[in-house]
Amino acid sequence: MTADLLAPLDLAFWNIESPEHPMHLGALGIFAADSPAAGAHAADLLASRAAAVPGLRMRIRDVWHPRDLRRSWNAALRRPLALGGAAREPDPDFDPLRHVRLHAPAADFHSVAGRLMERPLVRGRPPWEAHVLPGEDGTSLAVLFKFHHALADGLRALTLAAAVLDPMDLPAPRPRPAEPPRGVLPDVRRLPDLVRGALSDAGRALDIGASVARSSLDVRSSPALGCESSGTRRTAGVVLDLDDVHRVRKSEGGTVNDVLIAVVAGALRRWLDERGDGSEGVAPRALIPVSKRRPRTAHPQGNRLSGYLMRLPVDDPDPLARLASVRTAMDRNKDAGPNRGAGAVALLADHVPALGHRFGGPLVAQAARLWFDLLVTSVPLPGFGMRLGGRPLTAVFPFAPLAPGHSLAVAVSTYRGHVHYGLVADGRAVPDLDRLATAVTEEVETLITACRP
């Protein structure tokens, strides 16, 4: 494998990281266990398999000289703009034992996962880790995977994690078409298209920027959703029956995702009222990431993300009205498409030179609070069962990074007939994260009751 420049959005994630706000994704997988030695066996399997996965050998290093860039026409055009950026390259000193760690038996997997999620990944070597947590009862074990967002988005992280689990029969990836050889100068016949594309990109960037400015006006959120970072983390998980979600969807219309977002809005309302913060007039802006990558491409590196921005109707006391509001907002976002609007601000990374990402990263990170109040993201999982050493994966909780100025992030996955919510919060700002998790379950029950004729 050769060095490859980071895509602009990857570079942005690499540079907005700070010790208080590490930019890694996480997933806590719960496996059945059949002996006290199951944890040690799982750690050995993960380490031995990781050595054979090329994507797990990739480290990220700075690019300060033109000879560091890959020799291609595209890279050549970007040479002046790429300096000060970063590239992925194989780590010649890769040792999987540095990345796979076996911990002491735990009574509460989420308590340990929160402490592990607050630790940044080591930047001098491949930015990923797998932590094996044996259960004290001997009937279960957990594996916490951490992948830096510059190394992998949710789909890529799933691919890398699956590569160290038991082999599965997956569809073959579509071959990547070979690039035609390029001459010294660009084909003049393509210049009009290139000019039109550049003008279109510039217009889209202005549209996104204007939408972001408008979205920051007249904001009514809650202090509970924003904070000065303490650098600590808590995690919690919720498991719902997917049939219950479908029951609500069939009754009220919309999509499964609409229901899952409405559940978040209702849970926030309960939580804010119970802790005394109050939900009256509160309509926080939720960022809903949208992947722009085709899932079966053979070359999945590089974040390709846009997003939708919407107000969560936390202040509405009617659960069905909250769901209708979410459905309307999501339909409006889908009609506009993922390339425009305030939620598409990630696309602006393509218009920033590498040095801009490097020196402007801290400013961009601090601006996240002005852009949105809460991240609600969906992480895809395969519909078939996964195993590690023959032990079935029974639950999996995805975790999203926590942006500066934010106290809560929500990630959702469906797996084997169940919905799994993974909640990540600032440990000091949200000491009652378990209460919010309970509110998620209560909100689904409320929706089911409201849908009954």
Side-chain angles (χ1 to χ4, degrees):
M1 300 182 70
T2 59
D4 194 9
L5 283 174
L6 292 189
L9 188 54
D10 297 347
L11 187 60
F13 287 135
W14 190 244
N15 283 292
I16 66 176
E17 182 173 65
S18 68
E20 295 78 21
H21 287 280
M23 290 303 297
H24 52 253
L25 311 169
L28 183 67
I30 312 298
F31 296 85
D34 50 10
S35 74
H41 181 223
D44 290 342
L45 278 178
L46 293 173
S48 62
R49 292 172 177 175
V53 180
L56 296 178
R57 304 179 66 94
M58 302 300 284
R59 67 182 180 185
I60 296 175
R61 64 169 175 82
D62 294 335
V63 171
W64 289 106
H65 194 280
R67 68 170 177 265
D68 291 332
L69 304 182
R70 197 168 65 173
R71 294 182 180 277
S72 70
W73 172 253
N74 284 338
L77 286 176
R78 294 174 57 197
R79 281 176 187 267
L81 299 180
L83 295 182
R88 296 185 192 88
E89 67 174 10
D91 183 357
D93 300 318
F94 175 67
D95 181 358
L97 295 178
R98 293 179 175 178
H99 300 262
V100 179
R101 301 171 187 175
L102 176 64
H103 294 258
D108 179 1
F109 293 140
H110 279 286
S111 177
V112 180
R115 294 193 296 270
L116 293 173
M117 282 296 291
E118 69 190 38
R119 301 178 187 175
L121 294 164
V122 178
R123 291 172 73 95
R125 58 192 189 215
W128 69 273
E129 293 174 351
H131 298 269
V132 180
L133 313 174
E136 280 188 348
D137 58 5
T139 64
S140 63
L141 66 88
V143 179
L144 175 67
F145 288 102
K146 294 168 55 177
F147 296 97
H148 198 286
H149 218 326
L151 178 70
D153 60 9
L155 186 58
R156 175 66 172 165
L158 170 63
T159 302
L160 293 173
V164 293
L165 299 180
D166 292 357
M168 298 178 291
D169 293 327
L170 298 175
R174 296 175 183 174
R176 192 184 186 194
E179 274 192 30
R182 299 180 181 272
V184 177
L185 296 176
D187 187 343
V188 296
R189 293 172 295 182
R190 295 187 60 224
L191 288 178
D193 290 336
L194 293 173
V195 171
R196 280 194 295 270
L199 292 175
S200 176
D201 287 347
R204 183 170 59 194
L206 289 173
D207 175 77
I208 294 171
S211 298
V212 171
R214 289 193 298 270
S215 73
S216 64
L217 300 175
D218 191 27
V219 173
R220 174 65 173 159
S221 185
S222 168
L225 299 178
C227 67
E228 292 296 325
S229 175
S230 68
T232 61
R233 294 290 181 272
R234 290 179 183 269
T235 71
V238 184
V239 181
L240 306 177
D241 192 323
L242 184 57
D243 286 343
D244 288 341
V245 177
H246 279 300
R247 190 182 312 172
V248 175
R249 177 191 62 81
K250 290 176 182 178
S251 172
E252 302 302 316
T255 67
V256 166
N257 203 40
D258 294 341
V259 178
L260 298 180
I261 295 171
V263 166
V264 173
L268 287 173
R269 177 182 175 83
R270 292 171 181 271
W271 177 65
L272 291 174
D273 287 342
E274 288 180 6
R275 74 195 322 246
D277 291 320
S279 60
E280 184 178 355
V282 174
R285 297 158 300 174
L287 176 64
I288 317 293
V290 177
S291 175
K292 299 190 67 182
R293 178 190 297 165
R294 296 177 181 176
R296 293 186 62 193
T297 53
H299 190 70
Q301 291 186 353
N303 278 279
R304 295 296 302 160
L305 292 173
S306 182
Y308 298 141
L309 198 68
M310 61 175 291
R311 294 289 182 91
L312 292 182
V314 172
D315 57 342
D316 195 323
D318 184 342
L320 296 185
R322 288 195 295 268
L323 176 55
S325 295
V326 168
R327 179 183 175 186
T328 299
M330 287 298 289
D331 286 346
R332 187 184 305 117
N333 276 315
K334 292 172 187 175
D335 288 343
N339 294 327
R340 291 187 178 275
V345 72
L347 299 179
L348 297 182
D350 292 341
H351 302 274
V352 178
L355 285 174
H357 285 295
R358 179 175 292 274
F359 296 114
L363 293 177
V364 172
Q366 294 302 321
R369 184 68 179 89
L370 301 177
W371 173 30
F372 65 98
D373 303 295
L374 176 71
L375 179 73
V376 182
T377 185
S378 177
V379 181
L381 289 177
F384 43 83
M386 294 182 281
R387 293 175 176 268
L388 176 58
R391 301 174 181 89
L393 176 68
T394 60
V396 57
F397 302 99
F399 299 136
L402 201 57
H406 293 77
S407 59
L408 179 67
V410 180
V412 192
S413 286
T414 56
Y415 176 69
R416 306 287 284 176
H418 291 87
V419 176
H420 296 80
Y421 280 85
L423 310 179
V424 177
D426 183 278
R428 185 176 300 168
V430 188
D432 55 344
L433 186 62
D434 289 343
R435 180 60 205 127
L436 177 60
T438 301
V440 170
T441 301
E442 293 171 346
E443 180 62 18
V444 173
E445 295 170 354
T446 297
L447 278 169
I448 292 173
T449 301
C451 290
R452 290 173 181 164

